[in-house]
């Protein structure tokens, strides 16, 4: 009997992943942000990431990242791509362009979609046309929303069987609620560039409720002095679980007007659902894929402070509603967002795309 070698998948991330991955292996962090990489071995797939830091001295790697953008950084390790069966990435578009121009079928290139339709636009500019050319010749696409999956299948019918909506999920053991007394506070989690803090802060004026924001400071700098009710904090992964646990409401305020990333907010959403929290999120294609308004969360209009304020006041005034939304959010996560279930689906997708 011939034993087949395990399928080899290489992930191309925007930034270095060696340190964060080690923290996952030590049990200090969850692995959801690695899109299944940490769990694929359980399904017979040999998964790893490829960074210039694995090949070059630290000083040279820093120099390469300084002169090469996120889209092009993996050109510095291009020859190493060919030892894999599948490349999986959401950002390495420059490297993908060179790969596409070579017209090679090995390895297979799968795009992890954060908003491919946003980059495609109306396909009028040169960049949009080049991007459409790349997408049309990839081996498959994993989306984070049902709407994005449907739109891409319509735009690229020859890929329709190779486009799948697969969330990266959450570690339900790491993000597990425990009985505690909730604080009357709003928690906002995430470092996405298009978080709509301006609308959130306007909505919370005169509500007499603290707002705890965990993000990088540069996201808030354009807003100037912050309102008195806002505190900005950074948490370790374990501390973040505790903060989720004791917060009454989780808000995910988003601004998609730049149309570059409809999938922003997914990590915070999956974590909050796993923690069984009452969630208010901006209505986007991606949020609508997971939240049924009034059932496992509330959806509000984009950049509408009045609508967001109404939703916050509604949850603060109705403990029963808040508890029901929270319980339904956890139930949804258990059924649909378990990282092991999501990774199994991803493994099956990889095998379907892989060369025979």
């Amino acid at each position: 009997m011939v034993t087949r070698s395990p399928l080899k998948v290489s992930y191309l991330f925007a930034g270095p992943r060696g340190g964060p991955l080690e923290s996952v292996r030590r049990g200090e962090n969850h692995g959801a942000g690695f899109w299944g990489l940490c769990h694929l071995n359980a399904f017979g797939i040999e998964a790893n990431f490829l960074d210039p830091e694995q090949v070059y001295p630290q000083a040279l790697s820093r120099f390469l990242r300084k002169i090469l953008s996120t889209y092009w950084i993996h050109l510095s390790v291009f020859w190493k791509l060919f030892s894999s069966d599948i490349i999986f990435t959401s950002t390495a578009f420059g490297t993908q362009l060179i790969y596409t121009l070579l017209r090679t079928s090995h390895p297979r290139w799968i795009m992890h979609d954060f908003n491919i339709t946003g980059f495609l636009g109306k396909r009028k500019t040169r960049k949009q046309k080049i991007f459409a050319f790349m997408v049309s010749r990839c081996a498959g696409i994993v989306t984070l929303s049902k709407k994005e999956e449907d739109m891409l299948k319509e735009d690229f019918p020859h890929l329709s069987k190779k486009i799948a909506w697969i969330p990266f999920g959450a570690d339900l053991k790491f993000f597990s609620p425990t009985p505690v007394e909730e604080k009357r506070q709003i928690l906002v989690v995430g470092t996405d560039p298009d978080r709509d803090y301006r609308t959130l802060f306007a909505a919370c004026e005169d509500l007499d409720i603290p707002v705890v924001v965990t993000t990088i400071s540069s996201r808030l700098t354009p807003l100037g002095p912050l309102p008195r009710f806002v505190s900005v904090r950074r948490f370790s992964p374990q501390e973040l679980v505790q903060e989720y646990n004791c917060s009454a409401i989780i808000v995910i305020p988003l601004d998609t007007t730049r149309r570059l990333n409809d999938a922003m907010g997914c990590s915070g959403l999956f974590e909050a659902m796993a923690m069984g929290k009452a969630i208010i999120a901006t209505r986007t294609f991606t949020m609508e894929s997971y939240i049924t308004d009034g059932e496992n969360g509330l959806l509000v209009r984009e950049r509408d402070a009045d609508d967001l304020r109404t939703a916050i006041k509604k949850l603060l005034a109705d403990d029963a509603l808040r508890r029901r939304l929270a319980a339904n959010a956890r139930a949804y996560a258990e059924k649909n967002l378990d990282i092991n279930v999501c990774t199994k689906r991803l493994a099956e997708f990889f095998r379907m795309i892989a060369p025979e």
Side-chain angles (χ1 to χ4, degrees):
M1 180 182 293
V2 178
T3 303
R4 296 186 63 181
S5 300
L7 189 67
K8 294 183 178 180
V9 178
S10 287
Y11 284 60
L12 308 184
F13 291 105
R17 282 299 186 271
L21 187 57
E22 282 304 311
S23 72
V24 173
R25 289 170 175 163
R26 291 193 300 266
E28 299 169 357
N29 202 346
H30 59 93
F34 286 88
W35 311 338
L37 184 152
C38 302
H39 301 266
L40 279 168
N41 287 345
F43 300 98
I45 291 180
E46 186 179 311
N48 212 326
F49 66 98
L50 181 58
D51 277 351
E53 285 77 7
Q54 296 167 304
V55 178
Y56 303 107
Q58 188 175 20
L60 180 54
S61 296
R62 285 198 300 265
F63 174 73
L64 289 170
R65 288 195 179 275
K66 186 175 181 179
I67 64 172
L68 295 173
S69 73
T70 297
Y71 295 162
W72 295 95
I73 186 61
H74 291 94
L75 273 184
S76 63
V77 290
F78 191 77
W79 78 96
K80 283 190 164 289
L81 302 180
F82 297 93
S83 62
S84 301
D85 298 304
I86 285 175
I87 302 299
F88 189 45
T89 181
S90 68
T91 56
F93 299 137
T95 307
Q96 182 181 353
L97 175 60
I98 302 303
Y99 164 89
T100 304
L101 291 173
L102 290 177
R103 296 185 177 274
T104 180
S105 60
H106 184 90
R108 301 289 170 85
W109 196 287
I110 297 178
M111 302 179 74
H112 187 234
D113 171 34
F114 275 87
N115 190 20
I116 288 177
T117 56
F119 283 111
L120 287 169
K122 296 182 179 180
R123 304 191 202 183
K124 290 185 176 181
T125 69
R126 180 180 299 176
K127 285 185 178 180
Q128 290 171 344
K129 291 176 181 178
I130 291 173
F131 191 72
F133 165 74
M134 290 162 45
V135 174
S136 70
R137 285 161 175 77
C138 73
I141 302 171
V142 174
T143 78
L144 285 171
S145 77
K146 183 65 173 69
K147 181 69 173 179
E148 186 86 350
E149 177 192 44
D150 292 342
M151 290 190 295
L152 288 171
K153 285 182 176 180
E154 183 177 348
D155 285 348
F156 302 95
H158 68 289
L159 291 174
S160 61
K161 294 182 179 180
K162 299 178 180 180
I163 299 173
W165 167 37
I166 306 175
F168 50 80
D171 186 331
L172 299 188
K173 292 181 179 179
F174 191 91
F175 291 100
S176 179
T178 54
V180 296
E181 184 176 352
E182 285 186 340
K183 298 178 184 177
R184 189 178 183 276
Q185 75 173 26
I186 291 171
L187 177 64
V188 187
V189 178
T191 59
D192 301 293
D194 292 337
R195 291 298 172 103
D196 190 4
Y197 296 110
R198 191 180 303 277
T199 296
L200 171 65
F201 297 162
C204 293
E205 284 285 352
D206 303 322
L207 288 185
D208 190 29
I209 182 169
V211 176
V212 178
V213 177
T214 175
T215 188
I216 53 179
S217 58
S218 60
R219 302 291 187 233
L220 298 169
T221 301
L223 301 179
L226 299 178
R228 295 188 306 275
F229 55 81
V230 174
S231 61
V232 182
R233 299 176 60 189
R234 298 301 300 270
F235 300 103
S236 70
Q238 291 80 6
E239 290 170 339
L240 181 59
V241 170
Q242 296 173 11
E243 201 66 20
Y244 271 125
N245 212 33
C246 68
S247 297
I249 300 172
I250 310 300
V251 177
I252 306 173
L254 305 170
D255 181 354
T256 65
T257 52
R258 292 195 297 173
R259 304 300 175 199
L260 293 179
N261 188 350
D262 185 83
M264 71 185 90
C266 276
S267 294
L269 175 65
F270 297 167
E271 292 168 6
M273 295 187 101
M275 289 299 299
K277 305 308 298 184
I279 302 163
I280 303 172
T282 302
R283 185 183 293 275
T284 65
F285 292 153
T286 303
M287 294 295 113
E288 287 180 318
S289 295
Y290 305 98
I291 295 178
T292 300
D293 190 29
E295 181 176 317
N296 60 355
L298 298 180
L299 294 170
V300 296
R301 292 186 295 272
E302 190 168 329
R303 296 193 299 169
D304 190 328
D306 290 337
D307 199 27
L308 179 53
R309 182 184 297 110
T310 298
I312 293 171
K313 291 172 69 174
K314 184 177 183 179
L315 289 186
L316 290 175
D318 193 335
D319 292 346
L321 173 62
R322 199 169 65 248
R323 287 193 295 268
R324 179 172 64 81
L325 294 179
N328 289 345
R330 175 67 188 188
Y332 181 93
E334 290 174 347
K335 182 178 180 180
N336 300 286
L337 297 177
D338 185 315
I339 195 168
N340 294 302
V341 174
C342 294
T343 304
K344 181 181 179 181
R345 290 179 57 200
L346 186 62
E348 292 168 350
F349 183 78
F350 285 160
R351 286 199 175 91
M352 185 265 290
I353 298 293
E356 297 181 359

